[in-house]
Amino acid sequence: MNFALTEEQQMIQAAAREFAQNEIAPIAARFDETGEFPEASIRAAGELGFMGVEIPEEYGGAGLDPVSYALIMAEISAADASHGTIVSVNNSLYGVPLLAFGTEQQKQQFLTPVASGEVNGAYALTEPQSGSDARAMRSRAELSADGSYYTINARKSWITSGPVAHYIVLFAQTIQPDGSSRGISAFLIDAEAKGFTRGKHEPKLGIRASATCEIELVDYQCPVENRIGDEGQGFKIAMTVLDSGRIGIAAQSLGIAQAAYSAALEYSRDRKAFGSEIGSFQSIQNKLADMRTRIEASRLLVLQAAWAKSQAANNGTKNTLNASMAKLFASETCMFVTHQAVQIHGGMGYSKELPLERYFRDAKITEIYEGTSEIQRMVIARLETGLR
Ligand code: CAA
């Protein structure tokens, strides 16, 4: 059994770390404070191929493997979780449905500009009354009598990158001209088209530089060729996408946790109390040992889930279980580690002079978006027991 990264993966990790530490880490606190979208550094990430990591080069991406994507997500998120979120939505939630289910025409037109990082993509599943229970969505796409377009009326909430997205993958209940339902379908939405509006921006506890808003579609006309996959296939597309996305969020959690742990370790070696470095006290040592151990376990789960995804692509299996276990464990580890890191720093952990309080605020979302910890436990237990 070999746990080592390939030479190429190590080079990609080093390149991502250099970019993240030089271009993102120095601006992270400022963008967190203002809540402004970090346009310039996101475009720079695009130039390095980080906005379409697993997308083939012919569609504007970098053509790398899922493990490389996880490494890049961890490095970027260690510098700033907001950047990690923006990168994740572009890559997983927008890129995967188009790559896996899109037509050649859709890939050329809608995937290439987003994967190359010229413009941003978003994913619209959640609605004001349906989050975890995603199938309870009310948004409707009614097929025209001549079958050439859908009239979509939709209200979607918590849309990451919604305020800046050019294109959005949106899910809605499909209604036939006779009024019957065909289940949920996926659609490509152009934010410049008539009938599309952006609603209120969400002020947030963390990942404040990642822009989030509601979006609304009123009598939006979507050409039938902009439906992704078959009618009624939308929920499976949404779930398949999350099987990828959850690996990205697990990697993001790993990155944030690693940054908080490194800071806490350094502080525990420098800071003195009662005549000794605080790292020599058993109470701090216990914390460091638990933090490091949980981070290493997260790292293995993340890499295993990413590897399982690359295998799934080759042999047609699914990586749902690995993705949910990695996301569950890494996000809860992230919350645990950032909490302990603030505690080890004492008053300085609470201060905005250091990034510890930002890591702590940013960590919380990893237990919520792309499926809460409760949903991950439900997915894992259903797969294990075969019961519902
Ligand atoms: N892959 C493919 N198909 C899947 C699947 C998967 N991983 N999981 C379920 N399906 C299929 C099932 O096979 C089933 O198909 P059939 O009807 O043919 O049998 C169908 O989907 C329905 O499955 P379930 O009965 O299991 O569906 P459910 O209503 O009980 O819900 C759930 C399952 C796992 C709870 C799901 O609703 C879920 O994941 N909820 C969480 C939603 C979520 O993660 N939201 C995050 C929003 S995105 C976000 O956060 C973006 C951001 O800001 C960054």
Side-chain angles (χ1 to χ4, degrees):
M1 182 176 265
N2 183 2
F3 286 97
L5 299 176
T6 66
E7 212 171 297
E8 192 194 17
Q9 287 163 348
Q10 287 177 44
M11 280 167 53
I12 289 159
Q13 184 182 42
R17 184 171 300 164
E18 191 185 333
F19 170 73
Q21 290 306 316
N22 292 340
E23 308 295 329
I24 299 177
I27 61 168
R30 177 160 55 89
F31 280 86
D32 173 61
E33 186 69 31
T34 62
E36 197 187 322
F37 185 81
E39 183 70 29
S41 46
I42 286 298
R43 299 286 80 87
E47 279 164 27
L48 292 171
F50 296 161
M51 299 305 277
V53 178
E54 294 175 57
I55 306 297
E57 289 176 23
E58 60 186 304
Y59 302 122
L64 298 174
D65 69 312
V67 170
S68 298
Y69 172 59
L71 297 172
I72 291 167
M73 268 300 293
E75 291 301 333
I76 289 179
S77 304
D80 178 36
S82 291
H83 279 76
T85 301
I86 300 161
V87 168
S88 144
V89 167
N90 231 63
N91 275 277
S92 313
L93 298 189
Y94 185 87
V96 169
L98 275 160
L99 185 64
F101 301 96
T103 62
E104 183 58 31
Q105 161 66 20
Q106 288 172 345
K107 288 177 193 167
Q108 297 284 353
Q109 190 181 346
F110 297 104
L111 182 55
T112 305
V114 175
S116 63
E118 281 163 48
V119 298
N120 294 95
Y123 173 91
L125 180 69
T126 301
E127 298 184 0
Q129 80 300 328
S130 63
S132 290
D133 186 6
R135 267 200 300 167
M137 69 180 64
R138 292 183 189 155
S139 292
R140 290 162 66 94
E142 292 175 51
L143 187 62
S144 62
D146 66 0
S148 66
Y149 67 91
Y150 294 90
T151 300
I152 304 183
N153 284 286
R155 190 160 161 231
K156 297 285 180 179
S157 47
W158 290 106
I159 307 308
T160 302
S161 294
V164 293
H166 274 61
Y167 302 121
I168 298 164
V169 172
L170 178 138
F171 299 88
Q173 304 281 357
T174 342
I175 313 295
Q176 296 305 296
D178 66 5
S180 63
S181 171
R182 281 274 173 86
I184 294 167
S185 304
F187 301 92
L188 272 161
I189 303 300
D190 182 343
E192 310 254 283
K194 197 163 157 270
F196 177 90
T197 51
R198 304 179 209 264
K200 75 173 166 77
H201 285 226
E202 297 292 348
K204 306 189 296 292
L205 172 72
I207 55 162
R208 288 175 35 75
S210 122
T212 313
C213 71
E214 278 197 347
I215 60 170
E216 195 168 9
L217 274 66
V218 178
D219 293 336
Y220 177 102
Q221 288 196 2
C222 178
V224 77
E225 57 272 18
N226 289 358
R227 187 189 71 229
I228 306 173
D230 297 332
E231 272 196 337
Q233 200 189 3
F235 193 71
K236 283 196 179 157
I237 294 175
M239 292 297 114
T240 304
V241 168
L242 288 168
D243 286 346
S244 281
R246 287 168 182 165
I247 303 172
I249 302 307
Q252 174 182 46
S253 310
L254 176 64
I256 303 167
Q258 184 62 57
Y261 173 72
S262 299
L265 182 63
E266 196 181 321
Y267 193 76
S268 72
R269 286 187 181 130
D270 291 345
R271 173 77 179 178
K272 290 208 169 92
F274 308 106
S276 307
E277 291 82 7
I278 61 168
S280 68
F281 302 143
Q282 198 174 33
S283 59
I284 302 293
Q285 290 185 342
N286 285 346
K287 290 189 198 305
L288 292 171
D290 288 346
M291 290 157 85
R292 177 71 207 270
T293 304
R294 291 196 200 185
I295 288 173
E296 281 314 305
S298 299
R299 191 187 317 281
L300 291 174
L301 280 170
V302 169
L303 291 176
Q304 178 179 258
W307 175 82
K309 186 186 162 191
S310 57
Q311 298 307 301
N314 297 334
N315 61 22
T317 55
K318 288 200 64 74
N319 65 313
T320 311
L321 181 66
N322 288 301
S324 281
M325 291 193 303
K327 191 208 179 249
L328 172 64
F329 192 82
S331 61
E332 293 193 345
T333 294
C334 183
M335 201 65 241
F336 169 78
V337 168
T338 55
H339 177 221
Q340 297 298 332
V342 168
Q343 190 68 16
I344 288 172
H345 281 79
M348 285 311 294
Y350 205 65
S351 162
K352 285 207 177 272
E353 267 181 49
L354 294 180
L356 277 302
E357 59 84 33
R358 174 164 57 84
Y359 299 151
F360 177 64
R361 286 185 287 107
D362 288 345
K364 186 59 207 168
I365 192 63
T366 66
E367 293 182 317
I368 298 174
Y369 63 13
E370 299 209 26
T372 59
S373 291
E374 290 75 8
I375 288 294
Q376 306 312 326
R377 288 189 166 88
M378 181 199 273
V379 170
I380 295 163
R382 279 184 179 180
L383 287 169
E384 283 297 284
T385 60
L387 301 171
R388 306 173 39 85

